[in-house]
Amino acid sequence: SPYPRQIAETRSERLVQPLLQWSWLTLLPLRVAETSSRPSLTAGNGQLLAVDAAAYRMAGGHSAVRRAVLDDVALVRALKSAGGRGGVVDGTGLATCRMYDGWPDLREGYEKSAWAAFGSPAGAAAVVGVLGVVYVVPALAALRGSFVGAVGYGAAVTGRYVVAERTGGRSLPDSFGHPASVVLLGWLTAESWLRRRRGDLRWKGRPLSRPKG
């Protein structure tokens, strides 16, 4: 799944969209993930996804993942379960994609599916909590004059900058807002779980199914 260069125009897009490529380039061991059958080590992107026809049929095709909100990731997991392999690679030079157009579109898109990204509310809370400790707490400490906090914040900015430069994103000044990006992602994830529990998730005007029970 070659990951296209992401086009982000508005302020909200520039805060959130770069986290997609940043997450798998900095947190996911790509070579291991390509063959591992562990769900947590699976990544895919429906914007550009090529599948061997025989492996696709062996995995049951899209009918096997028809109930999945994140059907691209679910399809890669199905392929791995059937004995195949797959994952993401840098597709910056192959294609571009503007996934969302402004805050309302972005918010609707993330809230309809963020609940499914981490498996459970506890899993989501754990991931968001770790990201907060690693990327938000140092920035807050730096504002209070902490040298260690400043070093941690600098490391976060550097990681975001390197990924942006590699994937054709906006490196400056956007990299300095990385802690704000993490906070906004956490808020969108929490909103997604709350709306799922209320049963009022919608996507492009269509209501999504209410969870059983």
Side-chain angles (χ1 to χ4, degrees), residues 35-174:
T35 56
S36 173
S37 59
R38 291 178 61 88
S40 60
L41 291 178
T42 299
N45 181 17
Q47 295 170 4
L48 184 53
L49 184 63
V51 186
D52 176 79
Y56 179 80
R57 290 192 293 269
M58 183 173 59
H62 273 84
S63 62
V65 298
R66 63 187 180 277
R67 296 188 182 279
V69 175
L70 299 175
D71 59 340
D72 45 7
V73 177
L75 180 60
V76 179
R77 287 175 178 166
L79 288 163
K80 288 183 175 182
S81 296
R85 56 188 290 182
V88 293
V89 295
D90 182 17
T92 300
L94 295 178
T96 61
C97 179
R98 186 176 184 185
M99 192 171 177
Y100 299 115
D101 184 5
W103 170 247
D105 195 24
L106 183 146
R107 178 179 178 178
E108 183 183 23
Y110 274 83
E111 288 187 1
K112 70 100 164 90
S113 58
W115 66 268
F118 307 113
S120 67
V127 172
V128 170
V130 169
L131 291 177
V133 169
V134 175
Y135 296 107
V136 179
V137 171
L140 295 176
L143 290 175
R144 297 173 59 88
S146 168
F147 175 75
V148 175
V151 171
Y153 172 62
V157 170
T158 299
R160 176 76 170 261
Y161 176 87
V162 170
V163 170
E165 287 288 301
R166 179 64 182 85
T167 59
R170 297 175 186 258
S171 54
L172 294 175
D174 295 31

